[in-house]
Amino acid sequence: MAQPHFRTPGDDLTGYLRRYPHEVAFGDEEPAVVFSRYHTDDFVLRNDGIDLGRERLLAHVRSGRRNVDEIHVEVHQTLTSAGRVAGRYTLTAVMRRGQVIATEIYMFGELAPDGRLHRVEQLSRDVSPKEPAR
């Protein structure tokens, strides 16, 4: 049976940034299947100077599946050109215990020939709502 067509990050970076967190955190498929749909097997994410390979990222996703109730992604800017992508977006996660974690992310990536992500360099900063002073 043929797999339904999906849009890769190279085809639609904005769609990927919005779709992937929901598919991997709340979808019916195993996280590894979703991960492989959008990333090469040797994908590496360097986030704030820390290399995160496939297994570390999947461990993070498994934790998220247990602890996150809701995810919202606001995409501010994207650019795709000649096998490279860039994006600026804010990812907000509402945790099961009510904590809201918002992260502003600047990402720069390299695409594989098939449009999946091969490597991403990313800088992030916490923009979570702060508790009011008492």
Side-chain angles (χ1 to χ4, degrees):
M1 182 174 188
Q3 183 177 14
H5 177 72
F6 65 94
R7 294 180 57 89
T8 66
D11 295 330
D12 178 16
L13 184 61
T14 299
Y16 159 79
L17 293 172
R18 290 182 179 142
R19 190 173 49 251
Y20 174 72
H22 290 276
E23 286 184 28
V24 79
F26 305 117
D28 294 332
E29 295 175 291
E30 287 295 317
V33 172
V34 176
F35 185 89
S36 293
R37 182 177 304 134
Y38 297 104
H39 308 91
T40 61
D41 291 340
D42 59 347
F43 174 79
V44 174
L45 166 69
R46 180 182 299 239
N47 185 64
D48 296 331
I50 300 170
D51 283 347
L52 303 168
R54 178 186 174 89
E55 293 311 312
R56 279 186 74 183
L57 288 167
L58 287 173
H60 178 71
V61 166
R62 289 182 193 101
S63 172
R65 278 189 169 204
R66 291 189 303 271
N67 297 311
V68 175
D69 264 348
E70 183 181 328
I71 293 174
H72 174 73
V73 178
E74 182 181 355
V75 178
H76 308 293
Q77 293 175 303
T78 61
L79 176 67
T80 303
S81 179
R84 299 198 184 269
V85 295
R88 183 176 65 88
Y89 62 101
T90 302
L91 187 144
T92 303
V94 179
M95 309 307 284
R96 292 200 194 284
R97 295 185 178 175
Q99 180 185 16
V100 176
I101 300 170
T103 308
E104 185 176 45
I105 301 167
Y106 295 79
M107 61 96 66
F108 307 90
E110 297 174 18
L111 298 169
D114 65 4
R116 293 183 299 157
L117 284 167
H118 172 66
R119 180 171 183 82
V120 169
E121 298 279 341
Q122 184 168 287
L123 297 171
S124 64
R125 70 182 185 114
D126 183 0
V127 293
S128 301
K130 304 299 181 222
E131 293 292 323
R134 295 179 193 210

mmCIF file of all heavy atoms in Angstrom, residues 43-74:
data_model
loop_
_atom_site.group_PDB
_atom_site.id
_atom_site.type_symbol
_atom_site.label_atom_id
_atom_site.label_comp_id
_atom_site.label_asym_id
_atom_site.label_seq_id
_atom_site.Cartn_x
_atom_site.Cartn_y
_atom_site.Cartn_z
ATOM 1 N N PHE A 43 20.386 12.639 11.120
ATOM 2 C CA PHE A 43 20.046 14.014 11.492
ATOM 3 C C PHE A 43 20.679 14.397 12.823
ATOM 4 O O PHE A 43 20.694 13.610 13.770
ATOM 5 C CB PHE A 43 18.529 14.153 11.615
ATOM 6 C CG PHE A 43 18.074 15.497 12.128
ATOM 7 C CD1 PHE A 43 18.017 16.588 11.285
ATOM 8 C CD2 PHE A 43 17.713 15.662 13.457
ATOM 9 C CE1 PHE A 43 17.596 17.828 11.751
ATOM 10 C CE2 PHE A 43 17.290 16.890 13.934
ATOM 11 C CZ PHE A 43 17.234 17.978 13.082
ATOM 12 N N VAL A 44 21.209 15.615 12.886
ATOM 13 C CA VAL A 44 21.754 16.170 14.130
ATOM 14 C C VAL A 44 21.192 17.568 14.311
ATOM 15 O O VAL A 44 21.211 18.381 13.390
ATOM 16 C CB VAL A 44 23.294 16.226 14.122
ATOM 17 C CG1 VAL A 44 23.832 16.934 15.350
ATOM 18 C CG2 VAL A 44 23.881 14.822 14.021
ATOM 19 N N LEU A 45 20.692 17.818 15.500
ATOM 20 C CA LEU A 45 20.244 19.148 15.900
ATOM 21 C C LEU A 45 21.244 19.670 16.915
ATOM 22 O O LEU A 45 21.528 19.001 17.911
ATOM 23 C CB LEU A 45 18.862 19.066 16.548
ATOM 24 C CG LEU A 45 18.384 20.297 17.315
ATOM 25 C CD1 LEU A 45 18.099 21.445 16.368
ATOM 26 C CD2 LEU A 45 17.160 19.970 18.137
ATOM 27 N N ARG A 46 21.818 20.828 16.636
ATOM 28 C CA ARG A 46 22.677 21.488 17.621
ATOM 29 C C ARG A 46 21.854 22.635 18.179
ATOM 30 O O ARG A 46 21.593 23.619 17.499
ATOM 31 C CB ARG A 46 23.967 22.013 17.011
ATOM 32 C CG ARG A 46 24.854 22.696 18.078
ATOM 33 C CD ARG A 46 26.108 23.247 17.464
ATOM 34 N NE ARG A 46 26.870 22.168 16.888
ATOM 35 C CZ ARG A 46 28.110 21.859 17.245
ATOM 36 N NH1 ARG A 46 28.738 22.553 18.150
ATOM 37 N NH2 ARG A 46 28.724 20.860 16.667
ATOM 38 N N ASN A 47 21.413 22.462 19.417
ATOM 39 C CA ASN A 47 20.581 23.460 20.074
ATOM 40 C C ASN A 47 21.384 24.160 21.163
ATOM 41 O O ASN A 47 21.823 23.512 22.113
ATOM 42 C CB ASN A 47 19.342 22.809 20.678
ATOM 43 C CG ASN A 47 18.392 23.823 21.256
ATOM 44 O OD1 ASN A 47 17.846 24.639 20.530
ATOM 45 N ND2 ASN A 47 18.217 23.793 22.561
ATOM 46 N N ASP A 48 21.587 25.463 20.990
ATOM 47 C CA ASP A 48 22.358 26.250 21.964
ATOM 48 C C ASP A 48 23.709 25.594 22.263
ATOM 49 O O ASP A 48 24.155 25.542 23.408
ATOM 50 C CB ASP A 48 21.559 26.468 23.245
ATOM 51 C CG ASP A 48 20.299 27.293 23.011
ATOM 52 O OD1 ASP A 48 20.298 28.128 22.077
ATOM 53 O OD2 ASP A 48 19.311 27.114 23.749
ATOM 54 N N GLY A 49 24.335 25.064 21.216
ATOM 55 C CA GLY A 49 25.662 24.485 21.337
ATOM 56 C C GLY A 49 25.706 23.023 21.744
ATOM 57 O O GLY A 49 26.782 22.441 21.838
ATOM 58 N N ILE A 50 24.565 22.398 21.983
ATOM 59 C CA ILE A 50 24.511 20.996 22.416
ATOM 60 C C ILE A 50 24.011 20.141 21.264
ATOM 61 O O ILE A 50 22.923 20.382 20.721
ATOM 62 C CB ILE A 50 23.591 20.835 23.643
ATOM 63 C CG1 ILE A 50 24.124 21.678 24.799
ATOM 64 C CG2 ILE A 50 23.463 19.367 24.032
ATOM 65 C CD1 ILE A 50 23.173 21.792 25.963
ATOM 66 N N ASP A 51 24.818 19.135 20.864
ATOM 67 C CA ASP A 51 24.421 18.212 19.794
ATOM 68 C C ASP A 51 23.398 17.216 20.315
ATOM 69 O O ASP A 51 23.625 16.559 21.341
ATOM 70 C CB ASP A 51 25.632 17.438 19.267
ATOM 71 C CG ASP A 51 26.502 18.263 18.343
ATOM 72 O OD1 ASP A 51 26.060 19.338 17.903
ATOM 73 O OD2 ASP A 51 27.629 17.830 18.055
ATOM 74 N N LEU A 52 22.288 17.117 19.586
ATOM 75 C CA LEU A 52 21.235 16.162 19.915
ATOM 76 C C LEU A 52 20.977 15.302 18.686
ATOM 77 O O LEU A 52 20.471 15.804 17.687
ATOM 78 C CB LEU A 52 19.953 16.895 20.317
ATOM 79 C CG LEU A 52 20.073 17.868 21.482
ATOM 80 C CD1 LEU A 52 18.830 18.728 21.590
ATOM 81 C CD2 LEU A 52 20.306 17.101 22.773
ATOM 82 N N GLY A 53 21.342 14.047 18.779
ATOM 83 C CA GLY A 53 21.098 13.110 17.686
ATOM 84 C C GLY A 53 19.721 12.485 17.818
ATOM 85 O O GLY A 53 18.937 12.798 18.724
ATOM 86 N N ARG A 54 19.433 11.601 16.918
ATOM 87 C CA ARG A 54 18.130 10.945 16.826
ATOM 88 C C ARG A 54 17.660 10.366 18.156
ATOM 89 O O ARG A 54 16.544 10.616 18.593
ATOM 90 C CB ARG A 54 18.206 9.863 15.748
ATOM 91 C CG ARG A 54 16.959 9.065 15.575
ATOM 92 C CD ARG A 54 17.179 7.915 14.587
ATOM 93 N NE ARG A 54 16.025 7.068 14.521
ATOM 94 C CZ ARG A 54 15.002 7.253 13.692
ATOM 95 N NH1 ARG A 54 15.009 8.255 12.851
ATOM 96 N NH2 ARG A 54 13.973 6.437 13.697
ATOM 97 N N GLU A 55 18.488 9.580 18.821
ATOM 98 C CA GLU A 55 18.054 8.893 20.047
ATOM 99 C C GLU A 55 17.759 9.865 21.187
ATOM 100 O O GLU A 55 16.787 9.689 21.918
ATOM 101 C CB GLU A 55 19.060 7.827 20.464
ATOM 102 C CG GLU A 55 19.140 6.660 19.500
ATOM 103 C CD GLU A 55 17.774 6.082 19.120
ATOM 104 O OE1 GLU A 55 16.940 5.825 20.033
ATOM 105 O OE2 GLU A 55 17.516 5.903 17.918
ATOM 106 N N ARG A 56 18.580 10.903 21.334
ATOM 107 C CA ARG A 56 18.309 11.906 22.383
ATOM 108 C C ARG A 56 17.037 12.678 22.081
ATOM 109 O O ARG A 56 16.256 12.996 22.981
ATOM 110 C CB ARG A 56 19.484 12.871 22.531
ATOM 111 C CG ARG A 56 20.595 12.282 23.381
ATOM 112 C CD ARG A 56 21.695 13.258 23.658
ATOM 113 N NE ARG A 56 21.320 14.267 24.645
ATOM 114 C CZ ARG A 56 22.101 15.268 25.014
ATOM 115 N NH1 ARG A 56 23.309 15.387 24.476
ATOM 116 N NH2 ARG A 56 21.717 16.138 25.896
ATOM 117 N N LEU A 57 16.821 12.985 20.817
ATOM 118 C CA LEU A 57 15.597 13.695 20.446
ATOM 119 C C LEU A 57 14.359 12.830 20.665
ATOM 120 O O LEU A 57 13.342 13.310 21.168
ATOM 121 C CB LEU A 57 15.684 14.167 18.995
ATOM 122 C CG LEU A 57 16.650 15.326 18.766
ATOM 123 C CD1 LEU A 57 16.920 15.506 17.280
ATOM 124 C CD2 LEU A 57 16.120 16.601 19.382
ATOM 125 N N LEU A 58 14.448 11.557 20.331
ATOM 126 C CA LEU A 58 13.313 10.658 20.553
ATOM 127 C C LEU A 58 13.036 10.470 22.043
ATOM 128 O O LEU A 58 11.871 10.387 22.448
ATOM 129 C CB LEU A 58 13.534 9.319 19.857
ATOM 130 C CG LEU A 58 13.406 9.366 18.335
ATOM 131 C CD1 LEU A 58 13.813 8.036 17.713
ATOM 132 C CD2 LEU A 58 11.994 9.758 17.914
ATOM 133 N N ALA A 59 14.062 10.433 22.876
ATOM 134 C CA ALA A 59 13.865 10.346 24.324
ATOM 135 C C ALA A 59 13.132 11.595 24.826
ATOM 136 O O ALA A 59 12.243 11.516 25.682
ATOM 137 C CB ALA A 59 15.195 10.173 25.040
ATOM 138 N N HIS A 60 13.505 12.746 24.290
ATOM 139 C CA HIS A 60 12.844 14.007 24.651
ATOM 140 C C HIS A 60 11.367 13.972 24.238
ATOM 141 O O HIS A 60 10.487 14.399 24.993
ATOM 142 C CB HIS A 60 13.575 15.172 23.975
ATOM 143 C CG HIS A 60 12.973 16.497 24.233
ATOM 144 N ND1 HIS A 60 13.042 17.127 25.459
ATOM 145 C CD2 HIS A 60 12.271 17.336 23.429
ATOM 146 C CE1 HIS A 60 12.406 18.289 25.390
ATOM 147 N NE2 HIS A 60 11.942 18.427 24.171
ATOM 148 N N VAL A 61 11.083 13.437 23.069
ATOM 149 C CA VAL A 61 9.708 13.335 22.582
ATOM 150 C C VAL A 61 8.896 12.408 23.478
ATOM 151 O O VAL A 61 7.752 12.725 23.835
ATOM 152 C CB VAL A 61 9.687 12.829 21.118
ATOM 153 C CG1 VAL A 61 8.300 12.381 20.710
ATOM 154 C CG2 VAL A 61 10.198 13.911 20.186
ATOM 155 N N ARG A 62 9.461 11.290 23.871
ATOM 156 C CA ARG A 62 8.727 10.347 24.728
ATOM 157 C C ARG A 62 8.347 11.009 26.052
ATOM 158 O O ARG A 62 7.240 10.822 26.556
ATOM 159 C CB ARG A 62 9.539 9.081 24.938
ATOM 160 C CG ARG A 62 9.613 8.221 23.686
ATOM 161 C CD ARG A 62 10.388 6.919 23.908
ATOM 162 N NE ARG A 62 10.683 6.313 22.636
ATOM 163 C CZ ARG A 62 11.868 6.377 22.027
ATOM 164 N NH1 ARG A 62 12.882 6.994 22.597
ATOM 165 N NH2 ARG A 62 12.039 5.807 20.857
ATOM 166 N N SER A 63 9.258 11.790 26.608
ATOM 167 C CA SER A 63 8.967 12.534 27.835
ATOM 168 C C SER A 63 7.848 13.544 27.583
ATOM 169 O O SER A 63 6.933 13.688 28.399
ATOM 170 C CB SER A 63 10.236 13.244 28.311
ATOM 171 O OG SER A 63 9.934 14.111 29.372
ATOM 172 N N GLY A 64 7.930 14.234 26.462
ATOM 173 C CA GLY A 64 6.899 15.202 26.120
ATOM 174 C C GLY A 64 5.527 14.576 25.978
ATOM 175 O O GLY A 64 4.526 15.145 26.414
ATOM 176 N N ARG A 65 5.472 13.387 25.404
ATOM 177 C CA ARG A 65 4.181 12.703 25.243
ATOM 178 C C ARG A 65 3.526 12.440 26.596
ATOM 179 O O ARG A 65 2.311 12.435 26.708
ATOM 180 C CB ARG A 65 4.360 11.383 24.490
ATOM 181 C CG ARG A 65 4.419 11.562 23.001
ATOM 182 C CD ARG A 65 4.367 10.239 22.276
ATOM 183 N NE ARG A 65 4.158 10.486 20.859
ATOM 184 C CZ ARG A 65 3.631 9.620 20.030
ATOM 185 N NH1 ARG A 65 3.245 8.431 20.450
ATOM 186 N NH2 ARG A 65 3.476 9.923 18.762
ATOM 187 N N ARG A 66 4.342 12.224 27.620
ATOM 188 C CA ARG A 66 3.796 11.978 28.970
ATOM 189 C C ARG A 66 3.412 13.263 29.691
ATOM 190 O O ARG A 66 2.542 13.239 30.556
ATOM 191 C CB ARG A 66 4.814 11.220 29.825
ATOM 192 C CG ARG A 66 5.055 9.795 29.401
ATOM 193 C CD ARG A 66 5.913 9.042 30.410
ATOM 194 N NE ARG A 66 7.193 9.683 30.652
ATOM 195 C CZ ARG A 66 8.311 9.464 29.956
ATOM 196 N NH1 ARG A 66 8.292 8.600 28.965
ATOM 197 N NH2 ARG A 66 9.429 10.087 30.236
ATOM 198 N N ASN A 67 4.079 14.374 29.377
ATOM 199 C CA ASN A 67 3.965 15.567 30.209
ATOM 200 C C ASN A 67 3.299 16.780 29.571
ATOM 201 O O ASN A 67 3.014 17.747 30.275
ATOM 202 C CB ASN A 67 5.369 15.983 30.681
ATOM 203 C CG ASN A 67 5.987 14.913 31.544
ATOM 204 O OD1 ASN A 67 5.373 14.416 32.469
ATOM 205 N ND2 ASN A 67 7.209 14.534 31.220
ATOM 206 N N VAL A 68 3.055 16.762 28.273
ATOM 207 C CA VAL A 68 2.511 17.938 27.582
ATOM 208 C C VAL A 68 1.043 17.721 27.239
ATOM 209 O O VAL A 68 0.665 16.691 26.705
ATOM 210 C CB VAL A 68 3.321 18.230 26.295
ATOM 211 C CG1 VAL A 68 2.688 19.362 25.502
ATOM 212 C CG2 VAL A 68 4.753 18.574 26.639
ATOM 213 N N ASP A 69 0.239 18.745 27.538
ATOM 214 C CA ASP A 69 -1.183 18.719 27.188
ATOM 215 C C ASP A 69 -1.471 19.402 25.862
ATOM 216 O O ASP A 69 -2.386 19.022 25.151
ATOM 217 C CB ASP A 69 -2.006 19.432 28.259
ATOM 218 C CG ASP A 69 -2.587 18.488 29.289
ATOM 219 O OD1 ASP A 69 -2.557 17.266 29.084
ATOM 220 O OD2 ASP A 69 -3.084 18.989 30.316
ATOM 221 N N GLU A 70 -0.693 20.444 25.562
ATOM 222 C CA GLU A 70 -1.006 21.272 24.399
ATOM 223 C C GLU A 70 0.278 21.902 23.871
ATOM 224 O O GLU A 70 1.170 22.243 24.647
ATOM 225 C CB GLU A 70 -1.960 22.372 24.869
ATOM 226 C CG GLU A 70 -2.472 23.309 23.850
ATOM 227 C CD GLU A 70 -3.393 24.342 24.491
ATOM 228 O OE1 GLU A 70 -4.079 24.038 25.486
ATOM 229 O OE2 GLU A 70 -3.380 25.483 23.980
ATOM 230 N N ILE A 71 0.356 22.051 22.554
ATOM 231 C CA ILE A 71 1.483 22.730 21.907
ATOM 232 C C ILE A 71 0.916 23.730 20.906
ATOM 233 O O ILE A 71 -0.015 23.414 20.158
ATOM 234 C CB ILE A 71 2.405 21.738 21.164
ATOM 235 C CG1 ILE A 71 3.103 20.818 22.142
ATOM 236 C CG2 ILE A 71 3.432 22.484 20.307
ATOM 237 C CD1 ILE A 71 3.918 19.720 21.484
ATOM 238 N N HIS A 72 1.505 24.910 20.914
ATOM 239 C CA HIS A 72 1.137 25.931 19.930
ATOM 240 C C HIS A 72 2.434 26.453 19.303
ATOM 241 O O HIS A 72 3.390 26.729 20.020
ATOM 242 C CB HIS A 72 0.372 27.081 20.587
ATOM 243 C CG HIS A 72 0.099 28.209 19.643
ATOM 244 N ND1 HIS A 72 -0.836 28.138 18.641
ATOM 245 C CD2 HIS A 72 0.668 29.421 19.530
ATOM 246 C CE1 HIS A 72 -0.833 29.266 17.959
ATOM 247 N NE2 HIS A 72 0.068 30.067 18.479
ATOM 248 N N VAL A 73 2.447 26.585 17.988
ATOM 249 C CA VAL A 73 3.605 27.119 17.275
ATOM 250 C C VAL A 73 3.166 28.351 16.493
ATOM 251 O O VAL A 73 2.246 28.285 15.676
ATOM 252 C CB VAL A 73 4.227 26.079 16.318
ATOM 253 C CG1 VAL A 73 5.390 26.682 15.555
ATOM 254 C CG2 VAL A 73 4.663 24.836 17.083
ATOM 255 N N GLU A 74 3.840 29.453 16.762
ATOM 256 C CA GLU A 74 3.620 30.681 15.995
ATOM 257 C C GLU A 74 4.863 30.911 15.142
ATOM 258 O O GLU A 74 5.951 31.160 15.666
ATOM 259 C CB GLU A 74 3.405 31.870 16.926
ATOM 260 C CG GLU A 74 3.135 33.157 16.179
ATOM 261 C CD GLU A 74 2.950 34.345 17.106
ATOM 262 O OE1 GLU A 74 2.937 34.182 18.340
ATOM 263 O OE2 GLU A 74 2.838 35.459 16.572
#
